[in-house]
Amino acid sequence: MKKLLSFAILTVLLLTAVGCSKDNETIKIGVSGTDNRIWDFVAKKAEKEGLDIEIVSFSDYVQPNLALAQKELDANAFQTISYFEAFINEHNLDLTPIATTVIAPMGLYSEKYENVEDIPEGGKIAVPNEATNMGRAFLLLQDAGLITLPEDFDGNGSLDKIVENPKNLEIVPVVAGQTPRVLPDVAASIINNGIAVDAGFNPTEDSIFHEDDTATPYINIIAVRTEDKNREDLQKLAQLYQEDDVKEFIEKEYKGSTIPTFVPLSEIGVDTEAE
């Protein structure tokens, strides 16, 4: 009888352990920067669905993709579709987007001038030194009327792609994370949204010029390893992110500096036929 009782207790304990592990799957999400408000909100929702979210922060735009490819993460959410496509091609990584998230407007900031028109002849403009972010910065400078790019501009930045530079601006490429720190030394600096927020800026209020919400190549995504693109827990996570309460939270919390953009992947040029 004692043996039967012990066996029954052991069975219950084993079933409980299995049930707990199944109901509390941990998903590691890689992000860049320290502003995790959206993911903290999503994590609380996910917990009710039996998903534990662990947020892993990185200080650059390189390691989150490498860590995902090396199976140190389950997903990441920090990059635009434009940057993602260029990065995985350059590094030959087998990663795939599973959902769109937000547009985080890139902005032009200055400690010396309040308007784009005030930037003087020969002024220094700091831009991110990575090709896709530099290309994005160039498009912003073109929209601001400061430079002209070729009609067939491919989105990848290099100094020789500037066709016209009427103010003879000195374009200074720097590591993206340094773009706020060089503000005292330049006429203006183009700063990625997440880096700007970490530096204490509101992109729509503190920049002298910024992107609008029609910048399709710069919609952010959730990325996973291609082999995991149909994983039930990751698909559930993407679904939770794109619900109305998350949209409302972003709009209230960020006041336009980050814009929820839950469009189908096909609208940003991702082939979804195999998904």
Side-chain angles (χ1 to χ4, degrees):
M1 186 69 180
K2 287 183 179 181
K3 288 184 178 180
L4 287 174
L5 181 60
S6 297
F7 179 78
I9 292 172
L10 180 60
T11 301
V12 170
L13 290 173
L14 287 171
L15 289 173
T16 301
V18 170
C20 288
S21 64
K22 183 178 180 181
D23 292 340
N24 293 278
E25 302 171 33
T26 298
I27 301 175
K28 288 187 176 182
I29 306 289
V31 301
S32 181
T34 58
D35 182 8
N36 298 327
R37 284 173 286 173
I38 300 173
W39 277 108
D40 287 340
F41 183 84
V42 173
K44 290 179 181 178
K45 286 162 50 77
E47 187 176 2
K48 297 176 183 178
E49 302 289 334
L51 301 175
D52 288 338
I53 306 302
E54 179 181 342
I55 301 168
V56 183
S57 296
F58 295 85
S59 60
D60 63 18
Y61 292 156
V62 174
Q63 293 305 314
N65 278 329
L66 298 181
L68 177 58
Q70 294 164 4
K71 299 190 176 183
E72 296 171 9
L73 303 170
D74 296 291
N76 66 39
F78 74 98
Q79 64 195 319
T80 66
I81 185 63
S82 177
Y83 177 86
F84 171 81
E85 289 177 344
F87 191 96
I88 64 171
N89 287 334
E90 179 182 353
H91 295 271
N92 193 29
L93 303 181
D94 194 13
L95 308 179
T96 300
I98 60 167
T100 55
T101 56
V102 298
I103 283 180
M106 177 180 270
L108 179 67
Y109 297 80
S110 177
E111 291 185 351
K112 301 178 177 69
Y113 308 104
E114 295 183 359
N115 299 291
V116 170
E117 295 78 11
D118 298 333
I119 296 174
E121 177 88 12
K124 292 182 179 180
I125 307 293
V127 299
N129 66 351
E130 181 276 324
T132 53
N133 276 314
M134 186 187 296
R136 183 178 181 180
F138 283 2
L139 287 169
L140 184 63
L141 290 175
Q142 178 170 256
D143 289 344
L146 293 173
I147 64 171
T148 301
L149 299 167
E151 291 184 5
D152 60 351
F153 181 62
D154 63 2
N156 292 311
S158 63
L159 297 180
D160 59 356
K161 291 186 178 179
I162 298 174
V163 174
E164 295 179 13
N165 182 1
K167 286 191 174 184
N168 295 311
L169 300 172
E170 182 182 346
I171 308 299
V172 183
V174 300
V175 175
Q178 300 298 318
T179 47
R181 298 181 186 178
V182 300
L183 275 169
D185 306 315
V186 297
S189 181
I190 294 184
I191 307 175
N192 290 80
N193 184 286
I195 294 171
V197 170
D198 282 350
F201 297 120
N202 180 309
T204 56
E205 295 177 2
D206 299 322
S207 65
I208 61 174
F209 193 82
H210 60 81
E211 293 170 337
D212 60 30
D213 60 2
T214 62
T216 304
Y218 307 120
I219 293 175
N220 282 252
I221 58 167
I222 299 172
V224 301
R225 289 181 295 280
T226 301
E227 66 188 47
D228 291 337
K229 67 182 181 181
N230 294 318
R231 252 177 61 179
E232 185 177 350
D233 56 343
L234 296 177
Q235 288 293 329
K236 180 63 177 178
L237 180 66
Q239 177 189 331
L240 290 170
Y241 192 108
Q242 293 189 335
E243 289 178 341
D244 287 343
D245 58 344
V246 177
K247 178 178 181 291
E248 292 166 3
F249 173 82
I250 295 170
E251 291 173 340
K252 180 179 179 181
E253 191 75 12
Y254 290 87
K255 298 178 175 59
S257 64
T258 295
I259 304 164
T261 315
F262 304 159
V263 301
L265 289 170
S266 58
E267 288 191 18
I268 60 172
V270 176
D271 181 5
T272 59
E273 290 185 1
E275 295 187 17

